[in-house]
């Protein structure tokens, strides 16, 4: 079974705008990660946030984590056409393996 | 290239045939994971190894599936008597041990069962 659920399922924005996608999960976690996947390709790790962290930044990415609401958000600022991809959250509850959500498909229109 | 390597990239097979995929992880990574992904879905966990030991298997991994990591380096995933429902992308990932850290994924093997 999949732990996380991303919202929205699909998002279309103009280049330069910000994109926000959310992830909700069901059980307590050790950490949460965000990955990007271009069509038909493998996954690329974007950022990891630990359960005792509330916010993390990496370049144009900002991730927040609210463990009380069991949710996380990924913000991509100043989007580019190259950001077009599917984005997945992955939760680690046991320290052994991690579960992916269903993903948000982001389209950035040039 | 020092990333995770998967072979073959694509495999078309007839229903009932056996197939085997190979994954070469990043050399210093102790953990190796197999995931399956169907169109429009997120990756589903299948199994993972810590060194050569297979520590966890998903209920998705039926008796027709077997995975090995004989020397704690590369891994193979075999599917026996393939079914059309096995058609998917099979992803391999590796990570360091000692608390969960980021996992690096290969490009995947796309299996089509006809």
């Amino acid at each position: 079974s999949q732990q996380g659920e991303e919202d929205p399922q699909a998002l279309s924005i103009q280049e330069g705008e910000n994109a926000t996608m959310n992830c909700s999960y069901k059980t307590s976690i050790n950490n949460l990660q965000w990955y990007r996947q271009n069509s038909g390709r493998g996954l690329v790790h974007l950022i990891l946030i630990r359960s005792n962290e509330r916010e993390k930044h990496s370049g144009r990415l900002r991730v927040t984590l609210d463990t009380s609401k069991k949710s996380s958000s990924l913000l991509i600022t100043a989007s580019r056409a190259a950001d077009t991809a599917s984005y997945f959250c992955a939760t680690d509850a046991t320290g052994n393996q991690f579960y992916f959500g269903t993903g948000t498909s982001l389209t950035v229109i040039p | 290239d020092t990333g995770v390597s998967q072979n073959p990239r694509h495999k078309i097979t007839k229903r009932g045939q056996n197939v085997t995929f190979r994954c070469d992880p990043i050399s210093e990574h102790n953990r190796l994971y197999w995931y399956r992904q169907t169109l429009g879905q997120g990756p589903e966990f299948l199994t993972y190894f810590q060194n050569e030991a297979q520590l966890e298997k998903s209920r998705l991994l039926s008796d027709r599936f077997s995975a090995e990591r004989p020397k704690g380096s590369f891994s193979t995933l075999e599917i026996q008597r393939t079914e059309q429902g096995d058609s998917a992308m099979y992803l391999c990932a590796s990570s360091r041990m000692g608390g969960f850290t980021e996992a690096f994924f290969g490009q995947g093997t796309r299996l089509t069962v006809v």
Side-chain angles (χ1 to χ4, degrees):
Chain A
S1 64
Q2 292 182 334
Q3 163 85 297
E5 292 286 338
E6 285 90 344
D7 170 63
Q9 288 189 337
L11 180 61
S12 184
I13 59 174
Q14 295 289 329
E15 198 165 33
E17 294 180 337
N18 296 341
T20 300
M21 50 205 88
N22 304 295
C23 168
S24 59
Y25 55 92
K26 299 174 184 175
T27 64
S28 297
I29 59 172
N30 293 325
N31 60 65
L32 183 146
Q33 303 186 45
W34 285 91
Y35 286 83
R36 183 186 74 219
Q37 185 177 39
N38 291 89
S39 180
R41 308 293 296 274
L43 288 94
V44 174
H45 182 267
L46 295 176
I47 198 165
L48 179 152
I49 186 166
R50 301 188 185 280
S51 60
N52 60 354
E53 297 176 314
R54 291 296 169 258
E55 188 170 313
K56 206 160 182 181
H57 297 255
S58 177
R60 295 183 296 113
L61 306 180
R62 172 178 169 251
V63 169
T64 62
L65 179 64
D66 187 335
T67 53
S68 66
K69 295 181 179 179
K70 294 186 170 57
S71 67
S72 174
S73 68
L74 170 67
L75 168 68
I76 304 174
T77 60
S79 63
R80 305 167 182 168
D83 294 328
T84 294
S86 292
Y87 292 81
F88 296 91
C89 66
T91 52
D92 166 31
T94 64
N96 294 327
Q97 34 83 359
F98 45 106
Y99 290 102
F100 285 85
T102 51
T104 291
S105 176
L106 172 66
T107 301
V108 181
I109 303 167
Chain B
D1 185 67
T2 57
V4 178
S5 176
Q6 290 189 248
N7 287 288
R9 292 291 308 278
H10 303 274
K11 178 71 176 178
I12 300 174
T13 190
K14 291 184 178 179
R15 191 172 50 188
Q17 297 293 306
N18 299 342
V19 294
T20 299
F21 311 139
R22 176 177 170 127
C23 172
D24 287 90
I26 294 172
S27 58
E28 62 266 27
H29 285 181
N30 305 93
R31 289 189 169 180
L32 185 148
Y33 310 82
W34 284 100
Y35 283 79
R36 181 175 69 187
Q37 186 179 26
T38 53
L39 196 63
Q41 299 295 314
E44 295 176 301
F45 170 77
L46 293 178
T47 188
Y48 96 97
F49 293 83
Q50 185 162 294
N51 299 315
E52 66 274 12
Q54 188 175 18
L55 297 186
E56 192 165 342
K57 293 195 296 185
S58 163
R59 293 188 303 273
L60 295 173
L61 213 64
S62 75
D63 291 344
R64 297 184 297 105
F65 288 70
S66 63
E68 294 183 342
R69 194 182 183 196
K71 297 183 180 179
S73 56
F74 73 92
S75 175
T76 58
L77 177 68
E78 181 183 17
I79 308 174
Q80 296 181 328
R81 305 181 303 282
T82 52
E83 302 171 356
Q84 285 189 322
D86 297 331
S87 295
M89 175 80 87
Y90 290 84
L91 296 163
C92 175
S94 69
S95 73
R96 296 180 190 278
M97 204 172 61
F100 191 73
T101 59
E102 63 182 284
F104 293 84
F105 278 80
Q107 294 298 303
T109 294
R110 180 165 297 284
L111 173 66
T112 302
V113 181
V114 298

